[in-house]
Amino acid sequence: MLLNGPLPPYDGDEREDYNSDYPYNGELHDCTNFLSQAVHAGGLQYQLYDYAPYNSLNWKPTIMFRNGYTWHNAEASYQYMKKNAYNIFDDIRMDTGSLIYVDWSNSGKMSHALMITSAGRIFLETGEIRFVPNISQKSRNRHNEPLQTYVARAVKENPNLRWHPLATRWIPL
């Protein structure tokens, strides 16, 4: 599974900084494109129900030469992932590969996406385990930044935001 954040050569916002394994979409603020690439590299297969780019059943970077809506749009991605690949997860013990969607304006629509790309564990003398997740994202490039640091800064900048975490849906063998 690809769990690194934007690392060289994909850590900038110029065309040559983007992952050449996927079509360049020309968007400077492409958090959801970054997240979709990581999830796809982790094993989630493309879905093509029809050739309509805005069909919420499709999950592919481009459809008929247009950006796939569920691949590039935070709200559409959240709805797709929640239905097809991830579980709603309202717990601080998020593990590597989990996704977090953010509704910056508390409008009920997701406007940003990021991913847990590493998660340390601290074993306390009480027997408890404290999870220490780190996030990576595009659109303000961040790589393995502690989630606690990210949340504190984000809430300070926008106290009305809402978090919508999704955890991987483990499929029994």
Side-chain angles (χ1 to χ4, degrees), residues 19-135:
N19 185 342
S20 59
D21 291 341
Y22 297 91
Y24 175 71
N25 67 13
E27 298 175 17
L28 290 178
H29 306 291
D30 65 344
C31 58
T32 311
N33 177 40
F34 166 75
L35 179 134
S36 294
Q37 289 182 28
V39 170
H40 181 255
L44 188 61
Q45 298 299 307
Y46 295 137
Q47 292 295 322
L48 187 60
Y49 177 76
D50 61 20
Y51 292 100
Y54 292 101
N55 185 334
S56 64
L57 298 174
N58 294 328
W59 187 71
K60 205 165 181 252
T62 55
I63 301 166
M64 297 299 291
F65 308 105
R66 300 191 65 187
N67 289 340
Y69 196 55
T70 56
W71 185 279
H72 294 281
N73 176 278
E75 175 64 22
S77 174
Y78 173 72
Q79 296 301 330
Y80 181 87
M81 294 298 174
K82 183 172 66 168
K83 181 178 178 184
N84 295 291
Y86 282 77
N87 289 322
I88 295 174
F89 191 72
D90 196 12
D91 193 322
I92 193 63
R93 296 172 294 190
M94 296 187 74
D95 209 347
T96 304
S98 295
L99 311 178
I100 301 175
Y101 291 86
V102 184
D103 174 0
W104 287 118
S105 62
N106 194 14
S107 67
K109 300 282 185 191
M110 302 311 122
S111 49
H112 185 57
L114 49 134
M115 176 178 250
I116 303 295
T117 48
S118 66
R121 287 149 180 81
I122 299 172
F123 297 92
L124 305 175
E125 290 181 13
T126 61
E128 293 179 75
I129 301 172
R130 179 172 295 152
F131 283 70
V132 186
N134 298 306
I135 63 98

Side-chain angles (χ1 to χ4, degrees), residues 2 4-12 16-19 138 141 143:
L2 171 70
N4 287 326
L7 295 172
Y10 311 123
D11 61 344
E16 62 269 10
D17 297 323
Y18 281 72
N19 185 342
K138 235 0 214 163
N141 295 333
H143 173 66

